[in-house]
Every structure is written in structure tokens, then in C-alpha cells.
């Protein structure tokens, strides 16, 4: 059998600063992510686990109430649950502040209405969530974490958003160049003016000139920063010494199909999964007819799985009698042979 012993996964990911856990709903992403995080924290490796699931399942698994801010679970483990609604609201409030700085005040009601509608536009939540994930990704190393574990890998769809600011690059660069030309021109005009008029008189004539250009520059710099952030995150994501993507699946037909698609999408984005976890396996030594049949069915699918994913190491996690909750039980799950 081509399944590797589970402790191999822990060893393989030991030196990875960034770990993404992806897969279909219900296969065991949160359990796997929390198990890895709990294990590394128990080894005194400072770990941050980030969930994007609004159903609070990470908090449930860790037996702690979580929110958008870091919560200390144990001396070496912090956890965050990113709430998409809160993040989208924050994101659009920031966009509104930026626009307000240079837009005509009469336009603001219309702009606000537009922003309100944009919040529910397709992709808005993904974009805001991706930006927030990128912030954590880029900041984690600086904050002294040895591992940052995301309980959800970005899909091919969200990954494409990463190149959006890059595509907008030409546009922001154009704006900045225009801005620089204008301020240069303005300083020449001001200089000429000061020969004819007193400086204070000039200020009274055009009190907003300098201020307005500052604000415009600020607005463009917000775009510049976002571009920079996504570029940095993109580099980290594609660096295999930094980032490992682990896909979780069960030995069932639909998760197999979904995992095949996920791998194609990831490979298209030049991202290779580091490993695949086959969760909820049933051992074949069952006396009960029902469970024996299920175990046989899984073994049959495992052959299919092994043939489909020859490039990636496969690690088994066996089905436990009860849900696995709390850091001790979670890290013990990875120590099982
Ligand atoms: N190996 C396992 N043994 C027993 N229960 C498990 C196992 N893996 C996951 N579960 C349970 O299955 C359910 C779904 O797991 P979860 O990790 O929340 O999946 P996901 O995050 O992919 O939606 C949870 O109730 C979890 O406790
Ligand atoms: Mg989950």
C-alpha cells in the first residue's frame, strides 16, 4: 500500500512556515488543521491557526470562542476566525474613506450607494477575505510565528484575484506619473507666482491645491500598497520552502472527483500540493458486516486514489469513535500509528 505513516506528514511540514489545508466541506479540514497546529504548539513551536469558516467550527474544535482578533489558546498557540461579513464591512469602510478624501462631497451619497451594492457583488467577499489572509500571511513571520496554518486553501478562483492588482498596476502607475507631473507643474507655477505675488496671497487664492494633491497621492498609495501586499503574498505562496498546501479528502467518490479538480486548478496556478490526507478511514479488521463493507469500499477507492495521485504523498487518518476536540486530543490524533 502506498499510504505513508501519518507521522511522516508532521515531519514533512515541520519546517514549513505557511501551511494551507484545503478540501471539500466536511472531509476534515478543520480537524486536520487544528491537529497540526496543536501538535506543533505542543512541541513549543509558535503557531497561528487562521480559519475563514463563518460557522465557527475552529472555535468548536478548540473549545474556545474565537473572533477576528488573535485569541491565545495556549502559550504557543494563537487562533483567529476571520468573519467574511466583518472583513467586507471593514474593507469597504476603508474604500469609502479613501474616496471621500478626494471626491466631490455632493457625489458621496451616490458613491455610498454604489459601495453598498458592491458589497454583495460576486467576488467581493473573496477579494476582501483574500486581502485579509494575505495580511496575516505576510505579517506572521514578523510576529515570530514558526507556523501559520490556514484552515482553508484559496481556490483557483480566489488565487486569480492575486494577480488583479498586478493587472491594475499599469493604471495606478499611470495615475502616479500624472500626479507627479501635475505637482511638478504646480510647483513651477507657484514659483513663478511668488515673484509677482506674496506667498500668503497665493495660498488664499487656491487654498486646496496642495491639500487635494496630497489626498490624491494618498488614495493612489492605498492601491500601491495593496498591489505590493498581493505581490508579496503571491511570492510566498509560490515558494515551496515557505508554503505547503495539504489537501484533505475522504475515500469517497465525490471528494475524489473534487480533489482531482482542485489539483488541476492548483497546478494551473503553478502551485503543487505538498501532500494529501485521506481522512476518516475505517480499519479493515471489522467484525460487523456494515462496517466491514464500508471498509472494503474504502480500500477499493484507495486503489483509485493511489493511481490518481502518484505525484503526491498520501497520509491516512483513521475514523475515531467520537469527534476530536481540544488541543490534547487533536495532537494525539497525529501520534496514532
Ligand atoms: N478522523 C476523524 N474521526 C472522527 N471524526 C472526525 C474525523 N475527522 C473529522 N471528523 C468529524 O467530522 C466532522 C467534519 O470535520 P471537519 O474537520 O469540521 O471538516 P471540514 O473542516 O472539512 O468541514 C466533524 O464533526 C469532525 O469532528
Ligand atoms: Mg471546517
Amino acid at each position: 500500500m502506498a499510504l505513508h505513516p501519518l507521522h511522516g506528514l508532521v515531519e514533512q511540514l515541520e519546517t514549513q512556515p505557511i501551511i494551507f489545508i484545503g478540501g471539500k466541506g466536511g472531509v476534515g479540514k478543520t480537524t486536520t488543521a487544528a491537529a497540526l497546529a496543536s501538535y506543533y504548539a505542543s512541541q513549543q513551536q509558535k503557531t497561528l491557526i487562521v480559519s475563514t469558516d463563518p460557522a465557527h467550527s475552529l472555535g468548536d474544535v478548540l473549545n474556545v470562542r474565537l473572533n477576528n482578533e488573535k485569541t491565545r489558546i495556549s502559550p504557543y498557540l494563537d487562533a483567529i476566525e476571520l468573519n467574511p461579513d466583518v472583513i467586507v464591512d471593514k474593507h469597504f469602510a476603508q474604500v469609502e474613506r479613501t474616496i471621500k478624501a478626494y471626491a466631490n462631497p455632493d457625489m458621496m451619497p451616490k458613491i455610498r450607494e454604489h459601495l453598498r451594492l458592491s458589497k454583495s457583488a460576486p467576488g467581493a467577499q473573496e477579494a476582501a477575505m483574500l486581502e485579509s489572509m494575505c495580511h496575516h500571511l505576510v505579517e506572521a513571520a514578523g510576529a515570530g510565528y514558526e507556523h501559520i496554518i490556514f484552515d482553508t486553501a484559496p481556490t483557483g478562483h480566489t488565487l486569480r484575484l492575486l494577480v488583479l492588482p498586478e493587472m491594475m498596476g499599469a493604471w495606478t502607475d499611470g495615475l502616479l506619473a500624472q500626479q507627479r507631473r501635475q505637482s511638478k507643474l504646480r510647483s513651477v507655477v507657484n514659483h513663478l507666482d511668488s515673484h509677482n505675488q506674496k506667498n500668503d496671497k497665493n495660498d488664499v487664492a487656491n487654498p486646496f491645491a496642495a491639500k487635494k494633491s496630497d489626498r490624491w497621492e494618498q488614495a493612489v498609495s492605498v492601491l500601491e500598497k495593496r498591489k505590493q501586499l498581493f505581490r508579496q503574498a503571491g511570492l510566498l505562496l509560490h515558494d515551496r520552502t515557505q508554503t505547503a498546501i495539504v489537501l484533505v479528502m475522504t475515500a469517497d467518490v465525490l471528494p475524489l472527483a473534487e480533489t482531482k479538480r482542485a489539483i488541476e486548478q492548483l497546478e494551473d496556478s503553478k502551485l503543487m500540493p505538498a501532500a494529501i490526507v485521506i481522512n476518516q478511514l475505517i480499519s479493515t479488521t471489522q467484525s460487523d458486516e456494515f462496517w466491514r463493507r464500508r471498509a472494503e469500499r474504502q480500500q477499493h477507492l484507495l486503489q483509485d486514489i493511489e493511481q490518481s495521485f502518484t505525484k503526491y504523498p498520501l497520509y491516512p487518518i483513521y475514523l475515531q469513535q467520537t469527534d476530536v476536540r481540544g488541543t490534547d486530543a487533536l495532537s494525539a490524533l497525529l501520534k496514532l500509528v
Side-chain angles (χ1 to χ4, degrees):
M1 174 176 300
L3 293 183
H4 293 60
L6 187 56
H7 64 80
L9 176 69
V10 175
E11 285 161 20
Q12 190 193 332
L13 301 178
E14 187 100 49
T15 53
Q16 296 286 162
I18 302 162
I19 302 169
F20 281 99
I21 311 290
K24 200 172 157 56
V27 294
K29 288 183 298 295
T30 304
T31 306
T32 307
L36 283 167
S38 303
Y39 179 83
Y40 290 128
S42 77
Q43 301 299 301
Q44 307 195 339
Q45 298 178 20
K46 207 172 167 219
T47 303
L48 172 67
I49 180 163
V50 182
S51 160
T52 59
D53 183 356
H56 306 297
S57 43
L58 179 62
D60 289 344
V61 163
L62 294 172
N63 292 327
V64 181
R65 239 190 124 78
L66 302 173
N67 56 40
N68 271 294
E69 305 296 327
K70 278 178 204 158
T71 300
R72 172 126 316 162
I73 308 293
S74 65
Y76 289 89
L77 181 61
D78 291 342
I80 308 184
E81 234 167 41
L82 300 177
N83 180 329
D85 291 331
V86 174
I87 286 173
V88 166
D89 280 347
K90 267 196 192 162
H91 177 82
F92 278 91
Q94 194 223 335
V95 172
E96 187 179 323
R97 273 198 303 278
T98 309
I99 294 178
K100 207 172 163 185
Y102 64 85
N104 182 338
D106 295 344
M107 292 287 289
M108 280 319 286
K110 275 250 168 335
I111 289 170
R112 272 199 199 100
E113 179 61 11
H114 176 76
L115 289 176
R116 196 182 62 77
L117 292 173
S118 303
K119 273 188 206 175
S120 47
Q125 283 215 341
E126 284 98 328
M129 191 57 102
L130 186 71
E131 182 166 351
S132 174
M133 284 169 85
C134 289
H135 269 296
H136 288 294
L137 194 75
V138 168
E139 276 169 14
Y145 290 104
E146 285 180 65
H147 301 282
I148 173 165
I149 301 180
F150 288 91
D151 165 19
T152 273
T155 60
H157 168 73
T158 43
L159 283 171
R160 278 195 286 276
L161 295 171
L162 277 178
V163 292
L164 208 64
E166 206 67 49
M167 277 155 49
M168 284 167 60
W171 186 61
T172 45
D173 290 350
L175 283 178
L176 274 175
Q178 187 189 355
Q179 178 57 40
R180 275 190 214 104
R181 268 199 308 277
Q182 277 180 0
S183 57
K184 221 176 186 174
L185 204 65
R186 194 176 308 108
S187 76
V188 171
V189 171
N190 284 348
H191 183 73
L192 290 178
D193 262 6
S194 65
H195 287 290
N196 306 326
Q197 301 177 350
K198 277 194 172 159
N199 265 341
D200 53 1
K201 229 180 166 183
N202 182 38
D203 284 349
V204 171
N206 191 357
F208 295 115
K211 255 198 191 153
K212 194 167 178 187
S213 79
D214 278 357
R215 288 162 173 179
W216 184 236
E217 190 97 35
Q218 270 168 24
V220 178
S221 100
V222 169
L223 295 176
E224 276 290 301
K225 277 199 194 116
R226 180 167 307 139
K227 193 172 102 180
Q228 190 66 28
L229 175 71
F230 279 16
R231 188 184 291 144
Q232 235 176 317
L235 286 175
L236 285 173
L237 273 172
H238 286 90
D239 180 348
R240 298 194 73 186
T241 65
Q242 296 287 323
T243 299
I245 297 175
V246 176
L247 296 177
V248 183
M249 63 181 289
T250 54
D252 292 301
V253 175
L254 294 184
L256 172 58
E258 172 127 342
T259 307
K260 279 184 188 166
R261 274 198 299 274
I263 289 180
E264 276 169 21
Q265 278 191 348
L266 287 170
E267 287 176 345
D268 275 353
S269 306
K270 305 229 165 20
L271 292 168
M272 304 275 276
I276 299 172
V277 168
I278 321 288
N279 188 24
Q280 302 184 11
L281 278 178
I282 303 161
S283 72
T284 44
T285 53
Q286 300 291 329
S287 51
D288 182 85
E289 166 93 13
F290 172 84
W291 287 105
R292 200 177 57 244
R293 288 250 168 107
R294 289 216 58 170
E296 282 166 5
R297 171 96 188 112
Q298 286 190 338
Q299 290 304 313
H300 183 71
L301 265 159
L302 267 179
Q303 292 177 0
D304 215 350
I305 292 169
E306 283 164 12
Q307 280 165 12
S308 306
F309 306 127
T310 48
K311 277 191 274 178
Y312 306 106
L314 305 175
Y315 298 101
I317 297 184
Y318 282 86
L319 183 69
Q320 306 300 299
Q321 277 187 20
T322 58
D323 285 3
V324 192
R325 294 177 68 176
T327 51
D328 289 346
L330 285 161
S331 55
L333 185 65
L334 298 183
K335 290 179 202 147
L336 297 176
V337 264

